[in-house]
Amino acid sequence: MTRKKWFASASVLPLACAIVLAGCGGNNNDGNAAATGSAATGSGTASQGAGTKDKPTLKLLRYYMADDYNAYPVNQFLQEATGYKLQNDVLPQENPSDKLNLIMASGSEYDLVEAMNKQDFFNFAENGALTDLTPLIEQYGPNIKRAISAESLAGATVDGKIYGIPTLNVSYVRSDLLIRTDWLQKVGKQMPTTLDEFVDVLKAFKDQDPGGNGKNNIPMTISPTALLDNLMGAYGIYGLWMELDGKLVSVVNHPALKDYVTFIRGLYEQGLLDKEFATNKAATADEKFTSGRAGVYLSGWSAIPGFDEALKKNVPDAQYQFVPPLKGPDGKSGFTKNGGFNKITFVPKTAKHPEDAIKLVNAMLEPNTFKELFIGKEGETYTMKDGNYMPIDPAFFDKRGQANAFVIGMDEANFVQYWQARLQKNKPMFDNYQLVNSVPEDQIHMDPLAFAPYLPKLSANSDKLSTLVNDRLIQMIVDGVSDSGIGSLQKAWKDAGGEDVAKEVNDWYASQK
Amino acid sequence: MRGLSNWLPQIRRNYDLYLLLIPGLVFLLIFKYTPIYGLVIAFQNFNIFKGIGGSEWVGLQQFERLFHSADFGRVMANTLLISLYKIVFLFPIPIVLAVLMNEVGRMWFKRSIQTIIYLPHFLSWVVIAGLFVNILSPSTGIVNGIIGFFGGGPVNFFMDNDFFRSILVATAGWKESGWSAIIFIAAIAGLDPELYEAARLDGAGRVRQIFSITLPGIAGTIVLMLILRIGSVLEAGTEQILLLYNPTVYETGDVIGTYIYRMGLTSMEYSFSTAVGLFESVIAFLLVIGGNQLAKRITGRSIW
Amino acid sequence: MTPSRSRPLSEVVYVAIVYVVLTAAGILCLFPFLNVLAKSLSANWAIVSGKVGLWPVDFNLKNVGFVIMDAMFQRGLVISVGLTVVGTLAAIAMTAISAYPLSKKQLPGIKFVLLLYIFTMLFNGGLIPNYLLIKNLGLMDNLLSLVLPGLISVFNLLLMKNYYESLPESLEESAKLDGASNLRIVLWIIIPLSAPVFATISLFYAVAFWSDWFHPMLYLNDPALKPLQLYMRDVVLQASDENLMNLDNDLLLGVSPEGIRNATIIVSTIPILLVYPFLQKYFIKGILIGSVKG
């Protein structure tokens, strides 16, 4: 028994030590960090290669990507451009937060760590596991201050201290209904502009079977989701949360929810919506569209390269494009725009080289370095055409295709333009991306919580609540809509913590004005 | 005291047998019993940064959270039913397969079938779920094609609460039966061929030999496997169900594992997931102990 | 085993039934594998649009070639093979030794030890203490962290113990009369008689070491140490339903095509499939206890 206890305490000990040591870790490092600091400042940005000897190897903990970070060309480029040798370790693809927690709690030696999840980042900050970057950025980060806006940095600030480098995401409309325009022609219809016209088109798809699919004809298919972009917009619903009369309201309490679900239920009942949609896997839904059986498919533009080739092989004269915003019964319409931070990168308190970590980030955000890191060299990986960056295939995709995984902080003024180069890989994707992202501003509705700071209740419950809402709505679409059904959804949502989240979200929202 | 005086000479006589226990016990101590202190976080509100020493003790609160969650009754009932169906329908299949395999004389046939039936074990549920969604699809699936051929209407198997549990049992059986048969095939291989020879001389037919020699010969293995299987009754196949179910069949298909997953309680809720695990362990422990006693009384065989 | 000339009709029918049932089972089990195989040899467009059944469509070896030539795959294969061979050998030795005393239930204290083992089968400390244990033993980013904790599977131990118990007592007794020590009995009598159960548990251990992705995920951070299964799981999961919702769209541009996913499954499963036919003769032959006795 006593031995067991001894073992147990021996294993708990490091946890405690990690916390205690965290306090003194900074002191230990001060000596050599100061030395390397002066060396790096001396050599300056132009002749960084010369300083390599003095610079330590930095250990980075990265988010999962399919390619090997250490063998990817961007890593070589970064080592040459910044003079630091970089050792990238990788979090697993599944449940990365679990492992990140274990690593952080047991005393990590990493110099820079990425969190894809705001909740993790703020959790670490609150538990004192992170280095305060404010003085370091002040001293070593002129490029950081120039590239990253104050608003973005505020998103990684706790109690007035900057604990992380936020990497902004591109904000865009992500998905919409793809429609087979050759089917439209065959049934003699125009591109629908209202819900009624849309239903009319679906009926024509069903009755006239323009694809010649017989009993396998599907007017419209979707993955098992209930809140469908564009269609929900026609009812003034733009996602899980939206502003109504100055307050943030969850979709479950949206006054038009019942009408919306009734509408989708109607499509399902009339056989206009895939009878099997609830059991579709992403692959089965893709399959229905690419084999030419479905006329309308809800999809993100980024998935288009995945099935464009297949559709063209199966149906050589197939044409398709996104449907513009459809007007609903009250004249409402619109898309939902997503955005926010892609990740937040931080320096653990137990890091060995905090100053160098910030110097690395600073060097990466030097405008030309950032550009070359992100899209490579003109003439080698890209060319300029009409002010757009055009990728050179395959050099661009081999050398810079995964570049955004390497970025730590964005050159916020320029990165969207650079980023679009990768969309040019596939023309249908680029065209459709343009199509949904160039509709009038008033038709595009930004997710009001995209840039919200860490809201503990929201973070803890948002996945659960969105699963609950989606599940209940799918059940209603399949089994029928009723006031009591909506009522029980609202109750279940409330019981699952929805009310608390609503309060938290609104307190924050009110404080923003 | 009398026990002890009886023991000592036995221990002395077999001291080398006891020495053989040592490597295993060292292994147990380091890799199994050292980490077991972690179970106490089931009674805490564990914060990984504060450790066990610094986290708040909450008594049985985590367990109450499980038992009082809204759908606990339904989820528990589903778990037990699905597990029970799987035991009743699937436990005998590998035994039957092994016995049949033993009846086959042609070596090439025996070898090929053995190699083939364990293949599905190596495919992940992600792959298998995709396959079955296609096979059972109401519009294009082959099964509904056959039903249609005989004049029946299409059945949407994955959205029908009447069929969903049957699908779970059937797919699990299909994936694991061949693999599980290996244990029984090996057990049969260990039987003394002389026994069959003797039975044949007594004029026992092949079916009689199965019941008088093969089955009794592997009864120990059967009992062992059954007891262990019953112990895992609360694991109804979380990964499988997660990949096969959808909201329309939660009523019949939602089990403890999937429910907890959907509620987002698997990640970071260390205390809660440990509490659920501990609950399952205790039930399993009781069932294994009970199963062992029962087996001892009925068949005279037991694990210990 | 040799067919006799005059079989009664009932036996012919019986044998026919046996063959039919087993053939049906075989076909059922072969089908999905053929499907994955066909997909790995088909063009991506044909898979995406659901055209591939049991036969490749637009046949090509590009997917398989791509997987085999991939540096991460090759590295993973070498690591996995090494891990499996070393782990299996060590685990068999450990299990064979530990199980023997447990089969002597009548000896004092043995039942208690057995219960100690069974207890760990049902109760474990969970993720965090296990992680800390490995970290404190200095085994992070070390392949031993995958071998050592897997040296004894209690399930395999019980199988082994069960088998030892089924061996006739008379064997050991006669050896004891000849003055053999327990150790000698294990090494020279028991182990040579245990071919079928050795074959079984070596298969189980090999498959367990081979298919383990969870512990590598937990204990390895250095991507250069990734075994094959972790690599495969990453490739296969990349586009699965649950993950689609979480991943940033940008990252999705790197999703591997269906053909490559299926090729990865096939290529990384085949090595372990080869183990079984190799061990199979020990299942089929049976053992001739009589000959040993004499």
Side-chain angles (χ1 to χ4, degrees):
Chain A
M1 228 22 233
T2 46
R3 179 176 295 184
K4 244 191 271 170
K5 260 189 198 155
W6 183 85
F7 261 94
S9 46
S11 318
V12 189
L13 209 60
L15 255 184
C17 289
I19 314 259
V20 177
L21 281 177
C24 15
N27 296 338
N28 287 343
N29 285 338
D30 273 355
N32 57 23
T36 44
S38 58
T41 346
S43 60
T45 33
S47 59
Q48 262 159 346
T52 312
K53 267 185 207 153
D54 313 333
K55 292 186 175 178
T57 298
L58 295 181
K59 285 190 78 183
L60 290 82
L61 186 60
R62 297 285 202 171
Y63 214 74
Y64 174 81
M65 78 160 174
D67 292 87
D68 183 349
Y69 275 93
N70 295 314
Y72 203 78
V74 176
N75 204 49
Q76 266 68 49
F77 164 75
L78 278 179
Q79 301 197 77
E80 284 160 24
T82 67
Y84 287 104
K85 199 167 176 333
L86 305 177
Q87 160 69 34
N88 299 279
D89 282 359
V90 187
L91 285 170
Q93 185 186 356
E94 292 169 84
N95 306 327
S97 292
D98 283 339
K99 182 147 178 199
L100 184 55
N101 261 284
L102 287 171
I103 291 178
M104 290 299 294
S106 58
S108 135
E109 292 189 346
Y110 291 102
D111 298 302
L112 285 162
V113 178
E114 290 178 348
M116 293 293 250
N117 183 329
K118 276 190 236 175
Q119 187 183 358
D120 292 338
F121 167 75
F122 284 96
N123 187 21
F124 299 148
E126 278 164 10
N127 280 292
L130 305 185
T131 305
D132 177 11
L133 303 180
T134 327
L136 295 175
I137 293 177
E138 201 53 48
Q139 198 176 348
Y140 304 111
N143 291 329
I144 299 176
K145 285 199 287 184
R146 194 198 44 75
I148 302 176
S149 67
E151 294 83 58
S152 295
L153 280 176
T157 302
V158 179
D159 297 335
K161 291 174 181 162
I162 302 172
Y163 281 109
I165 309 286
T167 301
L168 203 58
N169 215 343
V170 183
S171 296
Y172 42 60
V173 176
R174 180 180 291 213
S175 48
D176 183 19
L177 303 163
L178 279 175
I179 192 164
R180 285 281 297 275
T181 44
D182 56 323
W183 282 26
L184 276 179
Q185 271 176 13
K186 279 190 195 156
V187 300
K189 300 274 181 194
Q190 296 292 316
M191 178 65 80
T193 57
T194 66
L195 276 192
D196 291 341
E197 288 173 23
F198 181 67
V199 173
D200 197 40
V201 165
L202 289 182
K203 280 184 181 147
F205 282 180
K206 181 174 187 236
D207 298 338
Q208 301 180 35
D209 187 13
N213 289 303
K215 72 177 180 57
N216 289 332
N217 181 40
I218 305 167
M220 165 172 163
T221 190
I222 51 175
S223 291
T225 45
L227 293 171
L228 307 175
D229 286 281
N230 202 339
L231 297 182
M232 64 178 177
Y235 286 89
I237 302 172
Y238 307 112
L240 288 168
W241 293 92
M242 64 227 82
E243 195 200 273
L244 286 180
D245 305 325
K247 292 193 82 180
L248 291 183
V249 175
S250 159
V251 66
V252 299
N253 293 317
H254 195 289
L257 178 66
K258 190 186 166 198
D259 291 344
Y260 166 72
V261 191
T262 310
F263 172 74
I264 306 289
R265 161 80 182 156
L267 296 182
Y268 180 79
E269 246 182 332
Q270 298 168 61
L272 303 178
L273 174 63
D274 185 359
K275 280 277 174 210
E276 301 164 30
F277 86 93
T279 60
N280 277 352
K281 308 263 152 204
T284 29
D286 276 0
E287 189 179 307
K288 286 169 182 170
F289 186 71
T290 53
S291 58
R293 289 167 52 203
V296 176
Y297 179 32
L298 181 76
S299 165
W301 44 259
S302 64
I304 290 175
F307 50 68
D308 182 65
E309 184 205 1
L311 179 60
K312 294 279 161 64
K313 283 263 190 187
N314 288 312
V315 190
D317 48 359
Q319 300 288 330
Y320 59 92
Q321 73 166 68
F322 277 139
V323 178
L326 296 167
K327 275 203 184 59
D330 303 330
K332 288 187 176 132
S333 67
F335 293 139
T336 311
K337 192 173 182 176
N338 300 286
F341 294 131
N342 186 5
K343 63 187 176 194
I344 299 180
T345 309
F346 51 81
V347 179
K349 200 143 214 177
T350 42
K352 287 207 170 133
H353 314 286
E355 282 88 0
D356 290 287
I358 293 306
K359 283 179 198 159
L360 172 73
V361 176
N362 189 60
M364 286 168 72
L365 286 170
E366 193 278 319
N368 289 320
T369 309
F370 181 81
K371 186 173 182 182
E372 195 173 339
L373 141 70
F374 210 48
I375 53 174
K377 280 198 182 75
E378 182 161 6
E380 190 186 312
T381 48
Y382 71 91
T383 52
M384 294 296 291
K385 199 174 129 194
D386 309 327
N388 288 325
Y389 294 94
M390 304 297 291
I392 297 174
D393 203 357
F396 181 88
F397 300 100
D398 289 345
K399 293 178 179 166
R400 290 296 181 272
Q402 305 281 15
N404 55 324
F406 284 88
V407 165
I408 301 176
M410 288 286 189
D411 183 351
E412 294 185 359
N414 298 308
F415 80 104
V416 175
Q417 216 194 343
Y418 300 157
W419 174 82
Q420 287 183 359
R422 69 198 59 232
L423 297 187
Q424 304 270 10
K425 179 176 193 179
N426 182 288
K427 194 167 180 318
M429 171 168 71
F430 185 74
D431 292 348
N432 280 295
Y433 165 80
Q434 290 280 24
L435 196 88
V436 286
N437 281 287
S438 56
V439 302
E441 267 308 303
D442 65 323
Q443 304 270 14
I444 293 187
H445 302 266
M446 188 75 190
D447 170 11
L449 295 175
F451 290 95
Y454 171 58
L455 301 169
K457 294 205 168 95
L458 177 71
S459 299
N461 294 305
S462 63
D463 284 353
K464 174 174 67 173
L465 291 175
S466 63
T467 311
L468 181 119
V469 171
N470 193 49
D471 287 355
R472 294 287 183 122
L473 292 180
I474 286 179
Q475 282 167 347
M476 280 189 240
I477 293 169
V478 173
D479 298 332
V481 189
S482 63
D483 281 324
S484 68
I486 299 277
S488 98
L489 164 62
Q490 287 166 341
K491 187 178 174 306
W493 180 81
K494 210 170 146 184
D495 291 344
E499 200 89 319
D500 296 344
V501 174
K503 186 176 176 316
E504 182 185 63
V505 163
N506 272 298
D507 287 349
W508 165 74
Y509 199 65
S511 73
Q512 291 297 291
K513 290 179 188 163
Chain B
M1 276 292 101
R2 242 189 71 206
L4 200 64
S5 58
N6 278 341
W7 284 6
L8 280 174
Q10 280 204 65
I11 292 177
R12 202 170 302 139
R13 199 163 351 119
N14 293 295
Y15 77 97
D16 48 352
L17 271 183
Y18 286 91
L19 285 181
L20 287 181
L21 285 174
I22 290 174
L25 287 174
V26 171
F27 168 85
L28 273 188
L29 184 66
I30 297 179
F31 289 104
K32 301 290 179 185
Y33 283 99
T34 304
I36 219 156
Y37 69 88
L39 286 175
V40 304
I41 70 173
F43 307 97
Q44 291 190 321
N45 198 351
F46 182 70
N47 176 332
I48 190 168
F49 286 94
K50 292 184 181 148
I52 289 178
S55 292
E56 173 200 4
W57 292 90
V58 296
L60 295 175
Q61 197 180 305
Q62 304 291 356
F63 294 91
E64 279 164 23
R65 211 171 132 200
L66 172 67
F67 300 138
H68 292 165
S69 47
D71 299 309
F72 182 73
R74 180 188 78 181
V75 166
M76 189 71 196
N78 282 340
T79 309
L80 291 175
L81 265 180
I82 291 171
S83 267
L84 206 66
Y85 288 153
K86 281 185 175 173
I87 294 174
V88 170
F89 293 106
L90 301 186
F91 186 78
I93 293 180
I95 303 172
V96 172
L97 279 177
V99 169
L100 290 184
M101 210 81 81
N102 192 44
E103 300 297 300
V104 169
R106 276 167 237 275
M107 252 341 153
W108 64 267
F109 183 81
K110 197 165 172 171
R111 284 183 166 231
S112 334
I113 291 290
Q114 266 187 38
T115 311
I116 290 167
I117 59 169
Y118 94 136
L119 288 179
H121 173 77
F122 291 92
L123 295 176
S124 66
W125 278 113
V126 179
V127 175
I128 291 172
L131 281 172
F132 274 93
V133 167
N134 280 338
I135 295 171
L136 296 176
S137 154
S139 57
T140 49
I142 184 166
V143 173
N144 271 300
I146 296 170
I147 295 175
F149 180 78
F150 288 106
V155 180
N156 200 340
F157 289 99
F158 282 105
M159 289 173 72
D160 194 327
N161 279 303
D162 293 339
F163 286 104
F164 190 68
R165 287 188 192 128
S166 315
I167 291 174
L168 292 181
V169 173
T171 50
W174 170 81
K175 185 172 188 290
E176 298 300 339
S177 290
W179 174 251
S180 312
I182 290 175
I183 292 172
F184 300 108
I185 291 173
I188 292 175
L191 297 179
D192 189 347
E194 282 179 9
L195 295 173
Y196 290 97
E197 200 58 48
R200 217 164 306 157
L201 291 178
D202 287 349
R206 296 180 68 159
V207 180
R208 269 263 316 272
Q209 288 175 34
I210 292 178
F211 287 97
S212 62
I213 298 167
T214 312
L215 288 178
I218 61 172
T221 310
I222 295 177
V223 167
L224 170 70
M225 297 299 292
L226 188 60
I227 292 173
L228 294 179
R229 178 66 190 86
I230 288 171
S232 59
V233 72
L234 289 185
E235 214 321 274
T238 306
E239 194 190 355
Q240 176 199 15
I241 299 174
L242 271 181
L243 286 160
L244 289 175
Y245 78 165
N246 65 75
T248 53
V249 288
Y250 283 173
E251 198 187 316
T252 52
D254 202 8
V255 297
I256 296 180
T258 55
Y259 178 72
I260 288 170
Y261 179 88
R262 218 172 47 252
M263 293 295 111
L265 294 174
T266 43
S267 59
M268 252 59 75
E269 295 258 9
Y270 299 112
S271 284
F272 185 72
S273 33
T274 307
V276 176
L278 188 56
F279 168 65
E280 290 178 355
S281 295
V282 169
I283 299 286
F285 191 63
L286 295 177
L287 286 173
V288 167
I289 300 241
N292 194 59
Q293 293 304 340
L294 208 63
K296 197 185 265 177
R297 199 164 302 166
I298 296 175
T299 67
R301 293 169 196 276
S302 58
I303 304 182
W304 65 86
Chain C
M1 294 286 163
T2 44
S4 54
R5 254 161 285 147
S6 57
R7 275 185 182 169
L9 181 66
S10 65
E11 194 163 325
V12 174
V13 172
Y14 171 77
V15 170
I17 291 174
V18 168
Y19 276 79
V20 168
V21 170
L22 288 178
T23 309
I27 291 172
L28 268 177
C29 293
L30 196 57
F31 154 74
F33 223 79
L34 289 179
N35 178 258
V36 177
L37 186 65
K39 281 179 176 169
S40 71
L41 298 172
S42 297
N44 198 48
W45 69 268
I47 309 169
V48 172
S49 46
K51 292 263 186 300
V52 183
L54 297 178
W55 206 249
V57 176
D58 198 354
F59 178 89
N60 70 73
L61 289 168
K62 265 190 253 155
N63 296 322
V64 175
F66 182 88
V67 173
I68 294 177
M69 297 313 288
D70 185 86
M72 282 165 98
F73 171 83
Q74 293 171 355
R75 209 162 52 195
L77 181 67
V78 171
I79 291 172
S80 282
V81 169
L83 205 63
T84 305
V85 171
V86 173
T88 305
L89 291 177
I92 289 177
M94 189 80 173
T95 308
I97 291 176
S98 307
Y100 184 66
L102 297 180
S103 69
K104 306 286 166 232
K105 282 191 280 193
Q106 69 286 358
L107 288 182
I110 293 296
K111 276 189 187 176
F112 176 71
V113 176
L114 198 52
L115 274 174
L116 278 183
Y117 274 104
I118 292 172
F119 186 79
T120 66
M121 201 179 190
L122 304 171
F123 291 88
N124 71 80
L127 193 70
I128 300 168
N130 278 302
Y131 180 88
L132 291 176
L133 174 71
I134 296 296
K135 195 171 160 99
N136 294 337
L137 292 173
L139 295 177
M140 293 301 289
D141 276 325
N142 184 332
L143 293 175
L144 278 181
S145 67
L146 310 179
V147 174
L148 294 181
L151 281 183
I152 293 183
S153 135
V154 179
F155 179 79
N156 290 346
L157 184 87
L158 292 176
L159 277 184
M160 196 92 206
K161 178 210 90 152
N162 226 43
Y163 182 86
Y164 287 152
E165 279 171 4
S166 75
L167 291 174
E169 289 276 333
S170 52
L171 281 177
E172 293 164 49
E173 275 160 16
S174 56
K176 273 202 174 154
L177 287 179
D178 294 345
S181 69
N182 281 310
L183 260 177
R184 276 186 86 89
I185 294 176
V186 178
L187 289 176
W188 300 110
I189 299 179
I190 302 297
I191 289 181
L193 279 177
S194 305
V197 74
F198 270 109
T200 317
I201 70 162
S202 34
L203 179 69
F204 287 177
Y205 274 123
V207 170
F209 281 116
W210 181 267
S211 358
D212 185 13
W213 54 270
F214 186 76
H215 294 105
M217 181 177 90
L218 209 54
Y219 301 145
L220 307 177
N221 296 321
D222 183 353
L225 293 174
K226 236 187 208 187
L228 195 56
Q229 288 303 307
L230 190 52
Y231 169 79
M232 179 180 97
R233 203 173 159 89
D234 284 339
V235 173
V236 173
L237 278 182
Q238 251 178 69
S240 77
D241 291 5
E242 314 92 279
N243 286 31
L244 270 176
M245 293 188 277
N246 303 331
L247 278 179
D248 184 71
N249 262 327
D250 275 5
L251 296 175
L252 271 185
L253 299 179
V255 162
S256 60
E258 283 289 325
I260 293 185
R261 292 171 61 194
N262 284 282
T264 310
I265 295 173
I266 287 292
V267 178
S268 56
T269 311
I270 282 178
I272 194 69
L273 290 182
L274 295 178
V275 174
Y276 189 46
F278 173 75
L279 291 172
Q280 215 177 23
K281 57 173 183 254
Y282 300 105
F283 293 136
I284 290 178
K285 241 199 255 159
I287 38 160
L288 300 171
I289 291 174
S291 64
V292 183
K293 263 191 227 166

